[in-house]
Amino acid sequence: MSRTAWSAQDQAPPRDEEQRLRELGYQPVLARRMGGFGNFAISFSVISILSGCMTLYGFGLSTGGPAVMMWGWAGVGLFVLCVGLALAEVTSAYPTSGALYYMADKLGGRRWGWYTGWLNLLGLLGAIAGIDYGAALFTGAFLNLRFGFEPTPGSTFVIFLCILLLHATLNLFGVRLVSVLNSISVWWHLVGVAVIVGALAIVPDHHQSPSFVFTEFVNDTGWANPFYVAAIGLLLAQYTFSGYDASAHLSEETSNASVTAARGIVRAIWVSWLAGFVLLAGLTFAIQDYAGTQQSATGVPPAQILLDALGTAGASALLLVVIVAQLFCGNAEVAAASRMVFAFSRDNALPGSALWRRVSSRTQTPVPAVWLAVAVAALLALPSLYSATAYGAVTAINVIGITPAYAIPIYLRLRAGKRFQPGPWQLGRWSKPIGWTAVCWVAVVTVLFCLPQSSPLTVNSMNYASIALAVVLALASVWWYVARRSYSTPAAYGNAREQAEIAEGIV
């Protein structure tokens, strides 16, 4: 991208975003109290390298080991940046809470929007489950270190429910609190990574060699083909690099959203890309006992790395840093998912839409949507009570739900050609090559993460992400025939019936 193009984007004058929202068909009802940094912060918090990298680190140790984790992170990050750039361009043209499904609807038609919305919703709700369950696992590991607590599936699930309740409560206070927490989260993550990596670099007497960190390949999956194993191992990076559509979902609550929401997506990805590489390298260099790390009594391999390298006191302190970061991440994801529920219900796409689109007159927050988001996330994590591999399935659900939803509006924007009217943030002549790269990458990873992750295949080792995807698409297809007459994104705000319905949704 030329320097001139970047300058044109960064210096674009502020638009009347409320008027722009009316042009897109919606009467503003949410409070526009979030600035540019807050919008970047929510996507950065949802990506959360201290959540994704840490919770799936044990998965990475078995599916390719250090080599796949390090080089996979570098390669996946580059492709995800292409997806983010292309998505940011479309977001600039359509800055609404509906985000991906609204873009697909306007560029491809009602059915495109309908299925994009259901995929996006599946991914966002799966992300809440994955993030907060990961935080519960780390909380259990901390309690194990400090108090000898033995984490069980049942106790971990109770911790998970408590975390969901905390996040629901915080989100009921309004977007200003969410924005403040996300801004704190940015610095907490960056300083936290620096402290963790610094401690792991300085304190231990022994470190792994660079050849181990960047070339050691480990296969504990049961599959014989190393290329297949390496491909599956990319889930660690791809799962972490998701959720950056949060900037788009909060655009109706962001000042100058046509520029700042697009910019927030891109900045969140490249900052996470750099910081995440440093974190993974720091952890891998500090491994003292590979097998012992995989079989940690804490249930969380990164906790064992910290314990072996720093002792109980140091490990406990740094685990708290990680847990707080994960709590920030889950809170931001609940905000993004609830806005998606609100927007999808505003267009009558969900069962019970009249309830889920209601907004509190006091906080201007979609309260019922918040509760629905955390309730469904709790249901998605229920299999963890019975299956040790359920957490990997939940993270895969997040990836195969949300990642295709990113690509659909990008593909439709490319198909539209000159009919697409870009917003003030655009890619110029780089739009097509970056866009097609993004679409092809998403097609690959969507197939990849539907594949079995371990062998032999059993009820417990089955990858249920593909089944979850099929169930959601089937539900969306059935519900389409029920709701297709009522579902609609408005062409322009001003219709008296639409105004009345929105007014009825404010309580």
Side-chain angles (χ1 to χ4, degrees), residues 45-46 48 51 127-128 131-132 163 167 171 325-335:
S45 297
V46 171
S48 184
S51 179
I128 297 174
I131 293 163
D132 282 1
I163 292 172
H167 288 154
N171 270 270
Q326 292 172 339
L327 294 177
F328 278 130
C329 173
N331 190 64
E333 185 62 34
V334 170

PDB file of all heavy atoms in Angstrom, residues 45-46 48 51 127-128 131-132 163 167 171 325-335:
ATOM      1  N   SER A  45      -8.048  -6.791  22.984  1.00  0.00           N
ATOM      2  CA  SER A  45      -8.396  -7.555  24.188  1.00  0.00           C
ATOM      3  C   SER A  45      -9.038  -8.888  23.834  1.00  0.00           C
ATOM      4  O   SER A  45      -8.824  -9.895  24.517  1.00  0.00           O
ATOM      5  CB  SER A  45      -9.341  -6.734  25.078  1.00  0.00           C
ATOM      6  OG  SER A  45      -8.710  -5.561  25.537  1.00  0.00           O
ATOM      7  N   VAL A  46      -9.853  -8.913  22.783  1.00  0.00           N
ATOM      8  CA  VAL A  46     -10.497 -10.162  22.376  1.00  0.00           C
ATOM      9  C   VAL A  46      -9.472 -11.123  21.770  1.00  0.00           C
ATOM     10  O   VAL A  46      -9.489 -12.328  22.055  1.00  0.00           O
ATOM     11  CB  VAL A  46     -11.647  -9.891  21.390  1.00  0.00           C
ATOM     12  CG1 VAL A  46     -12.173 -11.201  20.809  1.00  0.00           C
ATOM     13  CG2 VAL A  46     -12.781  -9.159  22.085  1.00  0.00           C
ATOM     14  N   SER A  48      -6.291 -11.206  22.501  1.00  0.00           N
ATOM     15  CA  SER A  48      -5.672 -11.586  23.782  1.00  0.00           C
ATOM     16  C   SER A  48      -4.639 -12.705  23.663  1.00  0.00           C
ATOM     17  O   SER A  48      -4.946 -13.879  23.871  1.00  0.00           O
ATOM     18  CB  SER A  48      -6.737 -11.995  24.804  1.00  0.00           C
ATOM     19  OG  SER A  48      -6.116 -12.277  26.053  1.00  0.00           O
ATOM     20  N   SER A  51      -4.450 -15.034  26.427  1.00  0.00           N
ATOM     21  CA  SER A  51      -5.520 -16.024  26.524  1.00  0.00           C
ATOM     22  C   SER A  51      -5.301 -17.121  25.500  1.00  0.00           C
ATOM     23  O   SER A  51      -5.071 -18.272  25.836  1.00  0.00           O
ATOM     24  CB  SER A  51      -6.882 -15.359  26.310  1.00  0.00           C
ATOM     25  OG  SER A  51      -7.913 -16.323  26.378  1.00  0.00           O
ATOM     26  N   ALA A 127     -16.412 -18.265  21.077  1.00  0.00           N
ATOM     27  CA  ALA A 127     -15.253 -17.549  21.615  1.00  0.00           C
ATOM     28  C   ALA A 127     -15.430 -17.255  23.100  1.00  0.00           C
ATOM     29  O   ALA A 127     -14.487 -17.395  23.890  1.00  0.00           O
ATOM     30  CB  ALA A 127     -15.037 -16.253  20.842  1.00  0.00           C
ATOM     31  N   ILE A 128     -16.639 -16.826  23.488  1.00  0.00           N
ATOM     32  CA  ILE A 128     -16.883 -16.585  24.919  1.00  0.00           C
ATOM     33  C   ILE A 128     -16.624 -17.867  25.711  1.00  0.00           C
ATOM     34  O   ILE A 128     -15.939 -17.859  26.750  1.00  0.00           O
ATOM     35  CB  ILE A 128     -18.323 -16.116  25.168  1.00  0.00           C
ATOM     36  CG1 ILE A 128     -18.587 -14.773  24.490  1.00  0.00           C
ATOM     37  CG2 ILE A 128     -18.585 -15.976  26.670  1.00  0.00           C
ATOM     38  CD1 ILE A 128     -20.032 -14.322  24.585  1.00  0.00           C
ATOM     39  N   ILE A 131     -12.765 -18.663  25.722  1.00  0.00           N
ATOM     40  CA  ILE A 131     -11.973 -17.720  26.514  1.00  0.00           C
ATOM     41  C   ILE A 131     -12.220 -17.917  28.004  1.00  0.00           C
ATOM     42  O   ILE A 131     -11.282 -18.034  28.803  1.00  0.00           O
ATOM     43  CB  ILE A 131     -12.305 -16.270  26.099  1.00  0.00           C
ATOM     44  CG1 ILE A 131     -11.824 -16.006  24.676  1.00  0.00           C
ATOM     45  CG2 ILE A 131     -11.671 -15.272  27.071  1.00  0.00           C
ATOM     46  CD1 ILE A 131     -12.452 -14.766  24.051  1.00  0.00           C
ATOM     47  N   ASP A 132     -13.493 -17.935  28.392  1.00  0.00           N
ATOM     48  CA  ASP A 132     -13.799 -18.016  29.819  1.00  0.00           C
ATOM     49  C   ASP A 132     -13.502 -19.389  30.397  1.00  0.00           C
ATOM     50  O   ASP A 132     -13.127 -19.506  31.573  1.00  0.00           O
ATOM     51  CB  ASP A 132     -15.257 -17.609  30.068  1.00  0.00           C
ATOM     52  CG  ASP A 132     -15.439 -16.102  30.041  1.00  0.00           C
ATOM     53  OD1 ASP A 132     -14.442 -15.396  29.806  1.00  0.00           O
ATOM     54  OD2 ASP A 132     -16.570 -15.626  30.248  1.00  0.00           O
ATOM     55  N   ILE A 163     -17.157 -16.927  36.242  1.00  0.00           N
ATOM     56  CA  ILE A 163     -16.527 -15.948  35.354  1.00  0.00           C
ATOM     57  C   ILE A 163     -17.549 -15.388  34.363  1.00  0.00           C
ATOM     58  O   ILE A 163     -17.583 -14.183  34.089  1.00  0.00           O
ATOM     59  CB  ILE A 163     -15.336 -16.594  34.627  1.00  0.00           C
ATOM     60  CG1 ILE A 163     -14.222 -16.912  35.627  1.00  0.00           C
ATOM     61  CG2 ILE A 163     -14.811 -15.677  33.525  1.00  0.00           C
ATOM     62  CD1 ILE A 163     -13.079 -17.727  35.047  1.00  0.00           C
ATOM     63  N   HIS A 167     -18.675 -11.402  33.937  1.00  0.00           N
ATOM     64  CA  HIS A 167     -18.626 -10.662  32.670  1.00  0.00           C
ATOM     65  C   HIS A 167     -19.994 -10.125  32.273  1.00  0.00           C
ATOM     66  O   HIS A 167     -20.095  -9.022  31.725  1.00  0.00           O
ATOM     67  CB  HIS A 167     -18.049 -11.554  31.570  1.00  0.00           C
ATOM     68  CG  HIS A 167     -16.588 -11.779  31.719  1.00  0.00           C
ATOM     69  ND1 HIS A 167     -15.936 -12.890  31.229  1.00  0.00           N
ATOM     70  CD2 HIS A 167     -15.627 -11.026  32.325  1.00  0.00           C
ATOM     71  CE1 HIS A 167     -14.654 -12.806  31.520  1.00  0.00           C
ATOM     72  NE2 HIS A 167     -14.444 -11.687  32.184  1.00  0.00           N
ATOM     73  N   ASN A 171     -20.808  -6.025  31.904  1.00  0.00           N
ATOM     74  CA  ASN A 171     -21.345  -5.497  30.648  1.00  0.00           C
ATOM     75  C   ASN A 171     -22.678  -4.782  30.814  1.00  0.00           C
ATOM     76  O   ASN A 171     -23.101  -4.051  29.915  1.00  0.00           O
ATOM     77  CB  ASN A 171     -21.476  -6.618  29.612  1.00  0.00           C
ATOM     78  CG  ASN A 171     -20.223  -6.784  28.786  1.00  0.00           C
ATOM     79  OD1 ASN A 171     -20.081  -6.162  27.743  1.00  0.00           O
ATOM     80  ND2 ASN A 171     -19.304  -7.605  29.267  1.00  0.00           N
ATOM     81  N   ALA A 325      -5.580 -11.000  32.490  1.00  0.00           N
ATOM     82  CA  ALA A 325      -5.642 -10.720  31.052  1.00  0.00           C
ATOM     83  C   ALA A 325      -6.771 -11.511  30.395  1.00  0.00           C
ATOM     84  O   ALA A 325      -7.499 -10.995  29.538  1.00  0.00           O
ATOM     85  CB  ALA A 325      -4.305 -11.058  30.395  1.00  0.00           C
ATOM     86  N   GLN A 326      -6.934 -12.763  30.791  1.00  0.00           N
ATOM     87  CA  GLN A 326      -8.004 -13.586  30.229  1.00  0.00           C
ATOM     88  C   GLN A 326      -9.380 -13.060  30.636  1.00  0.00           C
ATOM     89  O   GLN A 326     -10.337 -13.133  29.852  1.00  0.00           O
ATOM     90  CB  GLN A 326      -7.817 -15.036  30.680  1.00  0.00           C
ATOM     91  CG  GLN A 326      -6.587 -15.693  30.076  1.00  0.00           C
ATOM     92  CD  GLN A 326      -6.297 -17.054  30.664  1.00  0.00           C
ATOM     93  OE1 GLN A 326      -6.750 -17.367  31.771  1.00  0.00           O
ATOM     94  NE2 GLN A 326      -5.530 -17.874  29.963  1.00  0.00           N
ATOM     95  N   LEU A 327      -9.479 -12.525  31.829  1.00  0.00           N
ATOM     96  CA  LEU A 327     -10.744 -11.938  32.265  1.00  0.00           C
ATOM     97  C   LEU A 327     -11.073 -10.688  31.455  1.00  0.00           C
ATOM     98  O   LEU A 327     -12.221 -10.451  31.074  1.00  0.00           O
ATOM     99  CB  LEU A 327     -10.692 -11.609  33.760  1.00  0.00           C
ATOM    100  CG  LEU A 327     -10.594 -12.813  34.703  1.00  0.00           C
ATOM    101  CD1 LEU A 327     -10.487 -12.350  36.148  1.00  0.00           C
ATOM    102  CD2 LEU A 327     -11.786 -13.741  34.537  1.00  0.00           C
ATOM    103  N   PHE A 328     -10.062  -9.870  31.175  1.00  0.00           N
ATOM    104  CA  PHE A 328     -10.266  -8.727  30.292  1.00  0.00           C
ATOM    105  C   PHE A 328     -10.756  -9.186  28.922  1.00  0.00           C
ATOM    106  O   PHE A 328     -11.670  -8.604  28.331  1.00  0.00           O
ATOM    107  CB  PHE A 328      -8.948  -7.957  30.114  1.00  0.00           C
ATOM    108  CG  PHE A 328      -8.625  -6.996  31.231  1.00  0.00           C
ATOM    109  CD1 PHE A 328      -7.375  -7.016  31.834  1.00  0.00           C
ATOM    110  CD2 PHE A 328      -9.544  -6.045  31.654  1.00  0.00           C
ATOM    111  CE1 PHE A 328      -7.060  -6.123  32.857  1.00  0.00           C
ATOM    112  CE2 PHE A 328      -9.250  -5.154  32.669  1.00  0.00           C
ATOM    113  CZ  PHE A 328      -7.994  -5.195  33.278  1.00  0.00           C
ATOM    114  N   CYS A 329     -10.132 -10.241  28.420  1.00  0.00           N
ATOM    115  CA  CYS A 329     -10.472 -10.768  27.099  1.00  0.00           C
ATOM    116  C   CYS A 329     -11.924 -11.241  27.051  1.00  0.00           C
ATOM    117  O   CYS A 329     -12.679 -10.892  26.137  1.00  0.00           O
ATOM    118  CB  CYS A 329      -9.519 -11.913  26.765  1.00  0.00           C
ATOM    119  SG  CYS A 329      -9.918 -12.808  25.249  1.00  0.00           S
ATOM    120  N   GLY A 330     -12.319 -12.044  28.033  1.00  0.00           N
ATOM    121  CA  GLY A 330     -13.687 -12.560  28.049  1.00  0.00           C
ATOM    122  C   GLY A 330     -14.719 -11.461  28.175  1.00  0.00           C
ATOM    123  O   GLY A 330     -15.787 -11.517  27.545  1.00  0.00           O
ATOM    124  N   ASN A 331     -14.405 -10.428  28.951  1.00  0.00           N
ATOM    125  CA  ASN A 331     -15.339  -9.313  29.102  1.00  0.00           C
ATOM    126  C   ASN A 331     -15.549  -8.594  27.775  1.00  0.00           C
ATOM    127  O   ASN A 331     -16.673  -8.230  27.410  1.00  0.00           O
ATOM    128  CB  ASN A 331     -14.799  -8.337  30.150  1.00  0.00           C
ATOM    129  CG  ASN A 331     -15.815  -7.281  30.528  1.00  0.00           C
ATOM    130  OD1 ASN A 331     -16.864  -7.577  31.077  1.00  0.00           O
ATOM    131  ND2 ASN A 331     -15.501  -6.030  30.216  1.00  0.00           N
ATOM    132  N   ALA A 332     -14.462  -8.382  27.041  1.00  0.00           N
ATOM    133  CA  ALA A 332     -14.565  -7.725  25.733  1.00  0.00           C
ATOM    134  C   ALA A 332     -15.352  -8.577  24.747  1.00  0.00           C
ATOM    135  O   ALA A 332     -16.147  -8.063  23.944  1.00  0.00           O
ATOM    136  CB  ALA A 332     -13.162  -7.444  25.184  1.00  0.00           C
ATOM    137  N   GLU A 333     -15.158  -9.907  24.806  1.00  0.00           N
ATOM    138  CA  GLU A 333     -15.877 -10.789  23.886  1.00  0.00           C
ATOM    139  C   GLU A 333     -17.370 -10.808  24.176  1.00  0.00           C
ATOM    140  O   GLU A 333     -18.191 -10.869  23.252  1.00  0.00           O
ATOM    141  CB  GLU A 333     -15.314 -12.202  23.976  1.00  0.00           C
ATOM    142  CG  GLU A 333     -15.909 -13.170  22.970  1.00  0.00           C
ATOM    143  CD  GLU A 333     -15.643 -12.770  21.529  1.00  0.00           C
ATOM    144  OE1 GLU A 333     -14.571 -12.205  21.257  1.00  0.00           O
ATOM    145  OE2 GLU A 333     -16.513 -13.015  20.685  1.00  0.00           O
ATOM    146  N   VAL A 334     -17.758 -10.745  25.441  1.00  0.00           N
ATOM    147  CA  VAL A 334     -19.183 -10.673  25.782  1.00  0.00           C
ATOM    148  C   VAL A 334     -19.784  -9.396  25.215  1.00  0.00           C
ATOM    149  O   VAL A 334     -20.913  -9.392  24.697  1.00  0.00           O
ATOM    150  CB  VAL A 334     -19.383 -10.740  27.310  1.00  0.00           C
ATOM    151  CG1 VAL A 334     -20.829 -10.411  27.689  1.00  0.00           C
ATOM    152  CG2 VAL A 334     -19.030 -12.134  27.827  1.00  0.00           C
ATOM    153  N   ALA A 335     -19.041  -8.282  25.276  1.00  0.00           N
ATOM    154  CA  ALA A 335     -19.531  -7.027  24.698  1.00  0.00           C
ATOM    155  C   ALA A 335     -19.763  -7.169  23.201  1.00  0.00           C
ATOM    156  O   ALA A 335     -20.808  -6.773  22.678  1.00  0.00           O
ATOM    157  CB  ALA A 335     -18.530  -5.901  24.978  1.00  0.00           C
TER     158      ALA A 335
END
